[in-house]
Amino acid sequence: GDGHVLELSGAEGPAPSGRRSGRGADCALKQGGDLEALRRDPVQSSALHAGMPPRSASSAGACAAEKGRAMALPAVCQALQSLKGLARCSYPLFQQPWRSLALGLRSWGSLGAGAVAPASATLEVAELAHPLDTSDRCDECNGLAGKLKVGTREAHKAAESVHFFAEFIKGRVPREVYAQMVVNLYHVYEALEECLDRCAEHPLVDPVHFPEELARGWALAEDAEFFIGADWQETTAPSEVTREYVARLREIAEEAPELLVAHAYTRYLGDLSGGQVLRRCAVRGLRLPGCGSGVRFLTFGRIADCARFKAMYRARLDSLDADCEVADRMVAEANLAFDFNTRMFREL
């Protein structure tokens, strides 16, 4: 209702294209009691928001047009869910989540025209008519992604202050030290991805499991071979802290698989964020070739837009059916993940 452009797709028949809506009172999302109006008459509301004329029981083709509008509504709902993750705000429309309904829509197809999602990306979006009681869910204003970010802020700062990173950014890390980091991370990711694959059907793991886009084990193996040689697995070993880290991942996979989400969040979003700065520092400081050898684990070839993917991933985190107790345990586990990483880099 405030002039944002949303691209709608996937509807049969005369599906509308999103366009700037006027400032008048005809848009149901701008009237008083927005959410109630949308719930009472979702088809009518979506039609008005898209700039289409109100339905008329006597107009020709009303039933066909209404069907088209109703089928377009999931795209509107998906766009709103995605915008919640992008905007990180508490706009009233976002404050009362609706019960999830698997509609088979591509997760970030509504984030912009031309975006392509993998077949594995299916975001569960809104069922309109039945508001969900949020009394036992984590704070919807922040969401799980916000809780993880705020709850790990100090641990994140501690990890970034490790001497290894200061030297790395200055290009003063020897190749053999960088190679040991690659070996350590290989063992971490091998365990993490093995555990995620094994627990992929868990209801809190499945929505944030993207093996095709995020898996790093194979890339780390290639980087290790580049620095050490084809026999690197026979001539190297993970560090002591790395072995502790791996043991913890395997422990929670057996006892509390939902906590794997905290480790995936810590490692993958870190690689997609600060990891991209480290990739450039490694190429420059270690004088690596421009073909990507040595930094393949920091190159996400299956992700066209890292910022968009991270926004989608955070929206997925927010969509998880995790109550406050589970959310708090995930924050505690994410802090443990940061601690493992900090100690691993101090070893180096």
Side-chain angles (χ1 to χ4, degrees):
D2 57 359
H4 285 288
V5 176
L6 300 179
E7 292 293 335
L8 307 182
S9 61
E12 292 181 359
S17 294
R19 56 182 178 267
R20 284 189 72 88
S21 57
R23 297 278 176 176
D26 59 336
C27 176
L29 300 182
K30 290 187 69 65
Q31 297 173 13
D34 295 348
L35 193 58
E36 290 303 320
L38 188 60
R39 280 207 214 87
R40 281 196 304 272
D41 196 348
V43 174
Q44 176 80 336
S45 297
S46 65
L48 289 172
H49 191 56
M52 297 187 296
R55 67 183 176 186
S56 170
S58 60
S59 63
C63 292
E66 181 169 320
K67 179 182 177 183
R69 294 166 189 166
M71 294 188 71
L73 184 61
V76 176
C77 298
Q78 185 189 14
L80 291 171
Q81 293 294 315
S82 300
L83 286 172
K84 174 185 175 182
L86 284 170
R88 308 297 312 138
C89 69
S90 56
Y91 182 69
L93 191 61
F94 301 146
Q95 290 179 355
Q96 296 187 46
W98 297 299
R99 294 183 188 278
S100 64
L101 174 65
L103 294 171
L105 294 174
R106 301 288 172 102
S107 294
W108 54 91
S110 60
L111 290 178
V116 178
S120 62
T122 304
L123 182 62
E124 293 190 346
V125 294
E127 173 186 288
L128 289 173
H130 301 290
L132 182 68
D133 178 10
T134 63
S135 60
D136 196 35
R137 288 178 62 88
C138 63
D139 184 0
E140 287 294 325
C141 292
N142 292 321
L144 179 57
K147 282 180 174 287
L148 285 165
K149 182 176 181 178
V150 173
T152 59
R153 187 167 288 158
E154 294 304 315
H156 195 169
K157 289 179 182 177
E160 290 179 334
S161 67
V162 173
H163 180 67
F164 171 83
F165 285 117
E167 294 298 291
F168 192 96
I169 291 171
K170 295 173 184 175
R172 298 205 295 243
V173 170
R175 289 174 75 96
E176 61 270 20
V177 174
Y178 182 86
Q180 182 61 50
M181 179 197 75
V182 167
V183 169
N184 289 343
L185 289 177
Y186 167 79
H187 288 280
V188 169
Y189 277 104
E190 181 189 43
L192 175 59
E193 288 161 5
E194 175 189 319
C195 292
L196 287 170
D197 287 344
R198 194 164 71 244
C199 302
E201 295 185 3
H202 189 284
L204 297 184
V205 174
D206 176 62
V208 292
H209 184 45
F210 294 92
E212 292 185 9
E213 295 82 3
L214 295 176
R216 298 292 88 194
W218 67 269
L220 284 156
E222 289 189 6
D223 289 342
E225 182 171 346
F226 172 80
F227 285 107
I228 303 167
D231 62 345
W232 68 272
Q233 295 203 53
E234 289 74 41
T235 60
T236 65
S239 70
E240 181 179 348
V241 173
T242 303
R243 290 194 292 270
E244 289 181 39
Y245 198 168
V246 167
R248 176 59 181 173
L249 290 169
R250 289 178 175 153
E251 177 187 7
I252 61 175
E254 294 294 330
E255 299 177 1
E258 66 276 6
L259 298 184
L260 290 170
V261 172
H263 290 274
Y265 163 85
T266 302
R267 283 290 351 155
Y268 291 130
L269 288 196
D271 291 341
L272 287 167
S273 301
Q276 299 309 293
V277 176
L278 295 180
R279 177 169 60 86
R280 292 190 289 272
C281 291
V283 171
R284 183 176 63 250
L286 299 173
R287 294 179 172 82
L288 300 177
C291 63
S293 294
V295 287
R296 296 207 185 280
F297 88 95
L298 292 171
T299 304
F300 291 83
R302 291 180 178 268
I303 298 177
D305 187 324
C306 286
R308 179 172 288 178
F309 186 91
K310 289 188 293 181
M312 180 278 299
Y313 194 94
R314 293 186 184 104
R316 286 288 188 102
L317 287 170
D318 287 344
S319 76
L320 296 182
D321 190 18
D323 60 27
C324 290
E325 187 269 335
V326 171
D328 288 344
R329 287 170 55 224
M330 286 185 179
V331 171
E333 192 68 26
N335 276 295
L336 183 60
F338 271 110
D339 183 62
F340 277 129
N341 282 281
T342 300
R343 291 167 56 210
M344 271 201 316
F345 291 120
R346 282 179 180 157
E347 283 181 318
L348 294 172

